Amino acid sequence: MLPSVIENKVKVHPLDRQAQAKERFVLPGSQTELRQKFLALQTPDDVARLLNLDYRRLAHHIYHVPTEQKYKTFTLPKKTGGERTISTPISALKIIQWKLNQVLTTVYEVKPSAHGFVPGKNIVTNAKAHAGKRFVLNLDLADFFGTVNFGRVRGLFMNVPYNLPASVATVLAQICCHENKLPQGAPTSPIITNMLCAKMDSQLQRLAKECRATYTRYADDITFSTTLKEFPEALAYAIETEDGDKLLLGDRLLGIIADNGFNINEKKIRLQVRGNHQEVTGLTTNEFPNVKRTYVRQIRAMLHAWAKFGLAAAEREYRQKYNTKARLAVKGEVNFKQVLKGKIEFLGMVKGKNDSLYVKLSKEFKNLSSLV
C-alpha cells in the first residue's frame, strides 16, 4: 500500500491559473484611462464600447444565450461538511467578464484590511498581520457570494462612489450575476465582493482601532487580533451557560456586519488564545505564518511514493484518493507531478524561498524529475 497522499486544501484563488489566457483580452488604454471611461459611462452602448464590443453582441451573450450554455455548475465538498456550489462561465461571457474585471480593478480602491483577490496580497500577508498575538478572533461570513444578489450589484454601481445611471448599472449587473446572485467561479465575483465590502472594511477597521486590535478580511474570512491582556468586549465576550462558556460577538461588530447585508456563520466563530494553536486562513500564526505539520508530511509522503514506487504508481494512487475525495470531474484527471510541485511552491511562498525545508524538498523534486 502506498503512503497516503491525499490533497490538503489551501486558499489559493483558482482564477490565477487563467492568467495567461487573460493576456489575450487585455483592453487598450492605461489604468487611468479605463477608470475615467468607466466613471463616464452613460448608456449600455458605452458599456459595450468600453469592453471593445458591439452592443448587439454584448446583449446577445447576457440576455439571449441560454443559461445552461453560459455556465457550468458543479459542487465541491467543504472542509467542514456539506457542499459548495461553483458556477463558472463557459461561453464568450467569460471573456466579457475578464475584460470587465480589468476595468473594475482600476476603480476599486483597495482597503488596507482587504487581502483576498488583491494584487500583492494573499493568505500569507493576511496571516502575518495576526502573528504573535495574545488573542485571535476568527469569523466567517455565511454564503458570502450567494448573499450578493442582482439588486445589490446593481445598487453598488448606482450609488456612491460610482454614481452610474440605472441603465448602465443594470447591464453591468447582468454581466456579473447568474440566477440572481454572484456566481462563485466567475472572474468578476471576487472584485465585486471587495467593492461591496469597502464600506464594511472601513467601519470594522475603525472599530478595531478603537479596541487596540488588528483587523483583516480575506474574502469571507474576518480576523481580529490583539496583544491586550483582555480581549475587547466590543468585539467578543464569553457568557456562562449550562453547557459551559459560550462566545458572543459584540453588538457593534454584529451591527456593522448586518448593516452591510451579511450574516455570520455561527459555527465558525473562534477565539484562539496564545499557548494554544492559533490559525488564520489555514496558516498557523503563533509565532509567524507557517503551514501545518500535516501539509509537510503530505509533501514528504508524495515524494516518498514517487521515489519508491515510481511516478506512474504514485500518480494512480493519488488520483484514486483525490478523485474520490474532491470529485473535480470538470477539471479532468489530476496531474500528480504538477500538484506536488504546486504544494512545494506554496510552501516556499509561505516560508520563503531561502527556507532550508523548502530548498530540501525542492531539490528532491528536481532530482526525481530528472529521472523521468
Side-chain angles (χ1 to χ4, degrees):
M1 188 68 179
L2 302 185
S4 176
V5 290
I6 297 177
E7 174 78 10
N8 184 55
K9 293 179 177 55
V10 293
K11 295 195 172 195
V12 179
H13 190 215
L15 297 176
D16 287 344
R17 303 187 188 101
Q18 300 171 345
Q20 290 182 341
K22 293 179 187 178
E23 292 179 1
R24 293 182 296 161
F25 307 107
V26 174
L27 293 171
S30 66
Q31 289 192 346
T32 300
E33 291 171 334
L34 289 177
R35 175 185 173 84
Q36 291 174 344
K37 289 179 181 179
F38 176 83
L39 296 176
L41 292 172
Q42 291 297 313
T43 68
D45 285 302
D46 292 338
V47 177
R49 281 192 290 270
L50 175 63
L51 301 178
N52 263 2
L53 289 170
D54 178 82
Y55 178 70
R56 287 177 297 179
R57 184 180 177 192
L58 174 61
H60 171 74
H61 288 297
I62 63 176
Y63 293 117
H64 303 301
V65 175
T67 298
E68 63 274 12
Q69 294 180 23
K70 289 195 289 188
Y71 285 88
K72 185 169 190 116
T73 299
F74 56 96
T75 60
L76 293 176
K78 293 182 180 179
K79 183 179 179 181
T80 54
E83 293 185 330
R84 187 187 312 278
T85 301
I86 307 295
S87 294
T88 182
I90 55 176
S91 65
L93 181 61
K94 177 180 284 189
I95 299 172
I96 294 171
Q97 290 178 346
W98 276 345
K99 290 180 177 181
L100 180 56
N101 185 61
Q102 294 174 49
V103 178
L104 297 181
T105 300
T106 70
V107 300
Y108 167 59
E109 296 183 4
V110 179
K111 299 297 180 181
S113 52
H115 289 258
F117 320 120
V118 174
K121 293 185 177 183
N122 49 43
I123 66 170
V124 180
T125 61
N126 186 60
K128 188 175 181 179
H130 305 284
K133 300 297 182 69
R134 187 185 297 270
F135 295 99
V136 177
L137 175 68
N138 297 113
L139 314 175
D140 187 86
L141 299 179
D143 192 20
F144 186 52
F145 290 93
T147 301
V148 182
N149 60 26
F150 178 88
R152 289 186 68 183
V153 177
R154 183 172 181 269
L156 166 71
F157 293 122
M158 291 175 63
N159 296 324
V160 177
Y162 310 113
N163 303 308
L164 296 176
S167 60
V168 170
T170 298
V171 172
L172 293 173
Q174 288 285 359
I175 293 172
C176 298
C177 293
H178 170 57
E179 296 182 341
N180 193 37
K181 61 184 178 182
L182 276 186
Q184 187 168 353
T188 43
S189 292
I191 187 72
I192 292 292
T193 57
N194 274 345
M195 294 167 75
L196 278 166
C197 286
K199 179 182 175 182
M200 182 181 73
D201 286 334
S202 295
Q203 293 173 328
L204 292 179
Q205 186 67 58
R206 285 195 294 270
L207 177 60
K209 186 176 181 180
E210 292 176 22
C211 296
R212 296 170 60 190
T214 299
Y215 161 71
T216 66
R217 180 183 59 81
Y218 187 97
D220 57 349
D221 287 327
I222 288 176
T223 306
F224 291 91
S225 65
T226 183
T227 56
L228 295 175
K229 292 183 179 180
E230 300 290 337
F231 194 75
E233 292 188 358
L235 298 177
Y237 58 94
I239 61 171
E240 292 183 3
T241 69
E242 294 180 354
D243 299 322
D245 288 347
K246 181 178 180 181
L247 187 66
L248 298 178
L249 299 180
D251 290 341
R252 284 186 62 192
L253 173 55
L254 285 173
I256 290 172
I257 292 174
D259 288 346
N260 282 277
F262 295 103
N263 300 305
I264 295 292
N265 185 338
E266 300 289 343
K267 297 179 180 179
K268 291 189 176 182
I269 300 175
R270 294 179 300 161
L271 182 60
Q272 304 170 99
V273 183
R274 179 184 292 168
N276 298 323
H277 176 75
Q278 293 179 324
E279 182 179 314
V280 176
T281 44
L283 300 178
T284 59
T285 58
N286 293 73
E287 297 180 15
F288 50 83
N290 201 356
V291 298
K292 297 178 183 178
R293 293 178 181 176
T294 53
Y295 188 84
V296 176
R297 285 201 291 267
Q298 288 163 0
I299 293 177
R300 285 175 168 157
M302 294 173 78
L303 288 168
H304 175 73
W306 185 357
K308 185 172 183 179
F309 302 102
L311 179 59
E315 184 154 36
R316 281 196 301 272
E317 176 77 0
Y318 180 82
R319 284 182 175 179
Q320 180 181 0
K321 293 181 181 295
Y322 181 80
N323 288 338
T324 299
K325 193 173 182 65
R327 303 192 298 278
L328 288 177
V330 294
K331 291 186 177 294
E333 292 289 347
V334 296
N335 184 301
F336 176 89
K337 187 176 177 181
Q338 289 179 357
V339 171
L340 178 54
K341 180 177 175 58
K343 291 172 76 69
I344 294 173
E345 289 305 310
F346 178 78
L347 177 70
M349 183 186 77
V350 175
K351 298 176 73 68
K353 295 301 177 71
N354 293 324
D355 177 77
S356 59
L357 177 60
Y358 165 75
V359 172
K360 179 177 182 293
L361 296 176
S362 182
K363 184 177 180 180
E364 289 183 32
F365 177 86
K366 290 179 181 177
N367 288 340
L368 288 169
S369 296
S370 67
L371 300 176
V372 177

